[in-house]
Amino acid sequence: MKEQYIVGRNPVLEVLKTEKEIEKILVAKGELKGSVKKIIGIAKDRNITIQEVDKRKLDYISQGSVHQGVAALIGSYKYSTIDEILQKANNLNQPPFILILDGIEDPYNLGAIIRTAECAGAHGIIIPKRRAAQVTAGVYKSSAGAVEHILITKVTNISDTIEELKEKGIWIYGADIDGEDYYHVELTGPMALVIGSEGKGISRLVKEKCDFLLKIPMFGQISSLNASNAASILIYEVVRQNYGKKR
């Protein structure tokens, strides 16, 4: 199995706050100050090996990402199950709020959506096993470590998973150009929000499985938003409708 690294100061700090298995911390020579010093202190408290390396090694490990002089070698990411997501919502005494990502291929978009979902208090994210971005070091980086604070499930078939969720009382809302303006749709109760791929949107079979379709109206010359931007708008509309009057 290929070694998996998290790079960047904030992502490494976030993973150190969790129970995630960390094999060692790599620090560039001459970077033993500031937030790197804090990382080293936490790593020592957890008895994690700290290794000083040449900056070129971190350049190679990060493959173009900004590493800021630090990287963490971690164990493989542990995906959750749908039942664990639903149990999390139940433990919080909240209606389930789930994100279903139908073919997001760009790791940056996946990481950005994970970050927004975690900030908004979503209970979990479902991604397909094939033809989609998976949780990698790049996703850790773009999510600012949020992958360690939200449950992510990997499934074989999105359409079958939607049927399973429906049987458990979850309403399915798909983001699609043929839908109703999102601010006219009631987004409360147990729900899953489906976000499609960057170019094609949600697939035909998945679209047919949705209970409701909603869209973000476009008034400018560009006809669509980046997938992570669209997801952010819809995620926080759910937050507004569920919590806006309570705060």
Side-chain angles (χ1 to χ4, degrees):
M1 181 182 293
K2 184 179 179 181
E3 291 184 328
Q4 186 165 336
Y5 288 89
I6 297 172
V7 301
R9 298 181 184 186
N10 285 337
V12 171
L13 275 171
E14 286 300 319
V15 77
L16 281 169
K17 295 175 184 177
T18 72
E19 298 300 318
K20 182 76 175 178
E21 176 189 351
I22 302 174
E23 296 185 22
K24 62 182 175 180
I25 302 287
L26 305 183
V27 178
K29 293 176 181 177
E31 290 288 344
L32 306 181
K33 56 186 178 181
S35 55
V36 173
K37 187 175 181 180
K38 181 178 180 181
I39 288 170
I40 292 171
I42 297 172
K44 286 181 176 178
D45 290 342
R46 290 185 53 180
N47 294 317
I48 297 170
T49 300
I50 301 163
Q51 182 179 349
E52 282 193 69
V53 298
D54 190 278
K55 179 179 175 292
R56 287 174 295 181
K57 181 174 179 65
L58 291 176
D59 291 340
Y60 174 76
I61 287 170
S62 63
Q63 298 181 335
S65 296
V66 179
H67 55 71
Q68 300 173 302
V70 65
L73 175 61
I74 62 171
S76 58
Y77 181 77
K78 183 179 182 299
Y79 289 93
S80 302
T81 66
I82 290 173
D83 284 341
E84 286 173 328
I85 292 174
L86 297 176
Q87 186 59 51
K88 178 179 180 180
N90 184 64
N91 292 343
L92 294 169
N93 196 30
Q94 296 173 346
F97 176 28
I98 302 168
L99 271 292
I100 300 175
L101 307 184
D102 183 22
I104 297 293
E105 297 179 348
D106 184 345
Y108 174 82
N109 275 335
L110 176 58
I113 293 170
I114 290 170
R115 182 175 185 175
T116 301
E118 198 285 324
C119 288
H123 301 108
I125 296 173
I126 296 171
I127 63 174
K129 290 182 178 180
R130 298 182 181 86
R131 295 188 292 276
Q134 308 295 302
V135 177
T136 62
V139 173
Y140 269 91
K141 177 74 173 176
S142 59
S143 76
V147 291
E148 288 298 338
H149 303 288
I150 191 168
L151 302 180
I152 302 174
T153 299
K154 190 162 60 170
V155 300
T156 301
N157 187 289
I158 292 293
S159 295
D160 290 347
T161 299
I162 286 175
E163 286 296 333
E164 179 184 345
L165 291 172
K166 285 184 172 184
E167 291 173 2
K168 297 178 183 294
I170 309 294
W171 294 90
I172 311 299
Y173 297 78
D176 186 82
I177 194 170
D178 293 330
E180 187 177 356
D181 290 346
Y182 73 91
Y183 40 73
H184 292 153
V185 180
E186 183 178 347
L187 298 170
T188 59
M191 64 170 295
L193 177 62
V194 186
I195 304 295
S197 65
E198 291 88 347
K200 300 177 182 178
I202 59 178
S203 64
R204 179 183 60 82
L205 289 176
V206 169
K207 181 177 176 179
E208 291 173 354
K209 298 282 187 180
C210 293
D211 297 304
F212 304 95
L213 296 176
L214 60 158
K215 69 178 180 181
I216 300 170
M218 299 288 122
F219 301 107
Q221 298 302 309
I222 304 300
S223 62
S224 64
L225 291 169
N226 172 282
S228 61
N229 290 337
S232 296
I233 291 170
L234 298 176
I235 288 168
Y236 268 92
E237 176 63 14
V238 175
V239 172
R240 186 192 70 80
Q241 290 193 24
N242 284 273
Y243 302 109
K245 296 179 181 179
K246 300 176 183 179
R247 295 182 176 180

